[in-house]
Amino acid sequence: MKLALNDLLIRWIHPPNLSRDDGIRYYQERLLNTLLLALVFPGLLVYAASIALSIRDDLWLVVVTDTALYAYAVFLFFRKSLSYRLRAVSMVLISYLLGIVLLLATGVFAAGPAWLFAFPVMAALLLGTVPALSALVINGLTLLFLGLLIGAGELTTDAHTLHGVWEWTVLGLNFMLLNSVVALSIAVAANELQGLFAQKDGMLASLAQQKAALETSSRQLTEQMRQREAADAERSQLQEQLRQSQKMESIGTLAGGIAHDFNNILSSVIGYTELALDGVEPSSPPRKYLQEVMHASQRAAALVRQILMFSRHGEQTLKPVQLKGVVKEAMQLLRASLPTTIEIRESYEQDLGVVLADQTQIHQVVMNLCTNAKHAMEGRNGRIEVALAR
């Protein structure tokens, strides 16, 4: 029950369409709603008692004024859609009008001075320093005007005859002093609070700008880090390519050196084989073996030329070549390395003519293609077909 009542009170005094982020305006509207709430609900008891007393004493001006101002306060409380300034000025004027009417009707020792005292205080709370000063001036002029009426013997009421001029002057000066101290203190405090809220708003705006700048810097740093990582990756890749290139260069240099030495050995083998062939009769059985040695040596010499070309120590030589003989030779070498599950079929046209090519490279191309075909049929039956046509 207590929580429900608190929620209801909070909903009644909460300003529509405003929040704490709106600064001093939010608290001013909340204070105005609180004052109107107190004036409407607890003030109902005060209103009833005042009306009863006024009817008993035939103070019909008080009855009419209290009723009209209470009804207007109820209207202001439930019409929050009205502008804040209109509602605040109305609240301040209600305090002044009640003070004047009660002061004239019931005297200085009734509720009138209390409402007049509240007049500048409410102005300071709800409207600021300048309206509070204006309310103090209005209070001073009102007391001065009443003092002049008292001095002229024109001001009396049914309840009391107002005091003499000097008593009224002393009473009025004390009233204005206390009223000024309270109202101005509240106005200064309200101005300081407004300044603090403005400072807070400025700090929040500055923090928002700094946050935006930091987010921009963070995005830029992230982009720079991404670019740096990409550059590092590219540099690592280039370094790896450089190392690989250096390895290949070293391998080429090594292969070239080995090929030169091997070429010298082959020169001796080929030379002595040729000498042996010259000393052997054509019908002699060793001649066939020497010819195979010569063929193998020539293939080795071609391989050496290929290695030298790879290592850039030799130049490619193009000669007229009959492809049929080169391909057949390559297929004979390949046949020995193929499994029995793979069949080889060869087809050659007649009168193929010659091509300008490097015999060693043609031989290597045929070997590589057939070796790839063998790997593609690994563990299965298959067939390799090689054909030559114009």
Side-chain angles (χ1 to χ4, degrees), residues 188-330:
V188 170
N191 283 338
E192 290 296 325
L193 285 176
Q194 190 167 3
L196 289 176
F197 277 112
Q199 184 178 4
K200 182 202 75 170
D201 293 338
M203 292 176 63
L204 289 177
S206 177
L207 287 174
Q209 293 177 353
Q210 294 178 9
K211 180 183 178 183
L214 287 174
E215 290 176 349
T216 302
S217 300
S218 176
R219 287 193 297 269
Q220 293 175 349
L221 287 175
T222 302
E223 180 63 21
Q224 292 176 2
M225 291 177 63
R226 188 190 64 78
Q227 294 177 355
R228 182 171 297 178
E229 289 175 355
D232 291 341
E234 184 178 2
R235 183 168 58 251
S236 299
Q237 184 179 3
L238 292 175
Q239 289 176 349
E240 183 63 27
Q241 292 177 356
L242 178 61
R243 284 193 295 269
Q244 189 67 21
S245 176
Q246 291 172 345
K247 287 180 182 179
M248 295 299 294
E249 185 177 357
S250 300
I251 292 173
T253 302
L254 178 62
I258 294 174
H260 275 295
D261 293 340
F262 190 61
N263 195 39
N264 294 332
I265 297 172
L266 281 176
S267 298
S268 299
V269 172
I270 292 172
Y272 282 111
T273 303
E274 288 178 345
L275 292 174
L277 284 172
D278 290 340
V280 175
E281 295 294 332
S283 60
S284 176
R287 185 178 183 85
K288 179 181 178 181
Y289 302 136
L290 290 173
Q291 287 175 343
E292 291 296 330
V293 171
M294 180 62 72
H295 291 158
S297 299
Q298 289 173 350
R299 286 196 300 271
L303 181 60
V304 168
R305 287 195 302 273
Q306 187 175 4
I307 294 174
L308 288 174
M309 185 176 62
F310 168 76
S311 62
R312 298 180 183 177
H313 287 82
E315 294 294 333
Q316 181 181 19
T317 57
L318 301 179
K319 295 180 180 179
V321 177
Q322 290 186 351
L323 293 182
K324 182 177 179 180
V326 178
V327 174
K328 277 190 172 184
E329 183 181 355

Side-chain angles (χ1 to χ4, degrees), residues 47-359:
Y47 166 74
S50 176
I51 291 299
L53 182 61
S54 299
I55 292 175
R56 189 197 67 179
D57 295 335
D58 292 330
L59 300 176
W60 296 104
L61 177 62
V62 175
V63 172
V64 173
T65 303
D66 279 2
T67 301
L69 294 179
Y70 180 79
Y72 188 51
V74 173
F75 170 76
L76 292 175
F77 176 73
F78 287 103
R79 289 299 301 271
K80 294 182 181 180
S81 59
L82 296 175
S83 68
Y84 168 76
R85 191 161 189 84
L86 174 62
R87 297 169 73 229
V89 170
S90 299
M91 184 68 185
V92 172
L93 291 178
I94 286 174
S95 175
Y96 178 74
L97 292 175
L98 276 176
I100 288 295
V101 171
L102 292 176
L103 180 63
L104 293 175
T106 61
V108 296
F109 296 107
W115 283 102
L116 284 180
F117 188 88
F119 170 49
V121 174
M122 289 186 182
L125 285 172
L126 301 177
L127 299 173
T129 304
V130 174
L133 290 173
S134 301
L136 286 172
V137 171
I138 292 173
N139 264 359
L141 293 175
T142 300
L143 294 179
L144 177 60
F145 180 70
L146 293 176
L148 293 176
L149 293 179
I150 292 171
E154 298 292 335
L155 184 59
T156 58
T157 65
D158 294 336
H160 299 283
T161 300
L162 295 177
H163 293 241
V165 176
W166 288 108
E167 290 82 356
W168 179 259
T169 301
V170 173
L171 182 64
L173 290 175
N174 281 276
F175 177 86
M176 289 302 301
L177 176 62
L178 293 176
N179 204 191
S180 300
V181 169
V182 175
L184 293 178
S185 298
I186 292 174
V188 170
N191 283 338
E192 290 296 325
L193 285 176
Q194 190 167 3
L196 289 176
F197 277 112
Q199 184 178 4
K200 182 202 75 170
D201 293 338
M203 292 176 63
L204 289 177
S206 177
L207 287 174
Q209 293 177 353
Q210 294 178 9
K211 180 183 178 183
L214 287 174
E215 290 176 349
T216 302
S217 300
S218 176
R219 287 193 297 269
Q220 293 175 349
L221 287 175
T222 302
E223 180 63 21
Q224 292 176 2
M225 291 177 63
R226 188 190 64 78
Q227 294 177 355
R228 182 171 297 178
E229 289 175 355
D232 291 341
E234 184 178 2
R235 183 168 58 251
S236 299
Q237 184 179 3
L238 292 175
Q239 289 176 349
E240 183 63 27
Q241 292 177 356
L242 178 61
R243 284 193 295 269
Q244 189 67 21
S245 176
Q246 291 172 345
K247 287 180 182 179
M248 295 299 294
E249 185 177 357
S250 300
I251 292 173
T253 302
L254 178 62
I258 294 174
H260 275 295
D261 293 340
F262 190 61
N263 195 39
N264 294 332
I265 297 172
L266 281 176
S267 298
S268 299
V269 172
I270 292 172
Y272 282 111
T273 303
E274 288 178 345
L275 292 174
L277 284 172
D278 290 340
V280 175
E281 295 294 332
S283 60
S284 176
R287 185 178 183 85
K288 179 181 178 181
Y289 302 136
L290 290 173
Q291 287 175 343
E292 291 296 330
V293 171
M294 180 62 72
H295 291 158
S297 299
Q298 289 173 350
R299 286 196 300 271
L303 181 60
V304 168
R305 287 195 302 273
Q306 187 175 4
I307 294 174
L308 288 174
M309 185 176 62
F310 168 76
S311 62
R312 298 180 183 177
H313 287 82
E315 294 294 333
Q316 181 181 19
T317 57
L318 301 179
K319 295 180 180 179
V321 177
Q322 290 186 351
L323 293 182
K324 182 177 179 180
V326 178
V327 174
K328 277 190 172 184
E329 183 181 355
M331 297 307 296
Q332 288 176 359
L333 292 175
L334 186 66
R335 191 181 299 275
S337 64
L338 290 178
T340 58
T341 57
I342 296 178
E343 177 187 358
I344 295 179
R345 290 184 182 179
E346 300 177 50
S347 174
Y348 306 101
E349 287 186 1
Q350 297 298 323
D351 191 20
L352 290 172
V354 296
V355 295
L356 191 63
D358 188 319
Q359 181 176 344

Side-chain angles (χ1 to χ4, degrees), residues 12 28 52 105 122 125 147 162 211 296 300 315 357 368 385-386 390:
W12 276 345
Q28 284 180 328
M122 289 186 182
L125 285 172
L162 295 177
K211 180 183 178 183
E315 294 294 333
N368 287 343
E385 294 185 2
V386 178
R390 292 183 67 88

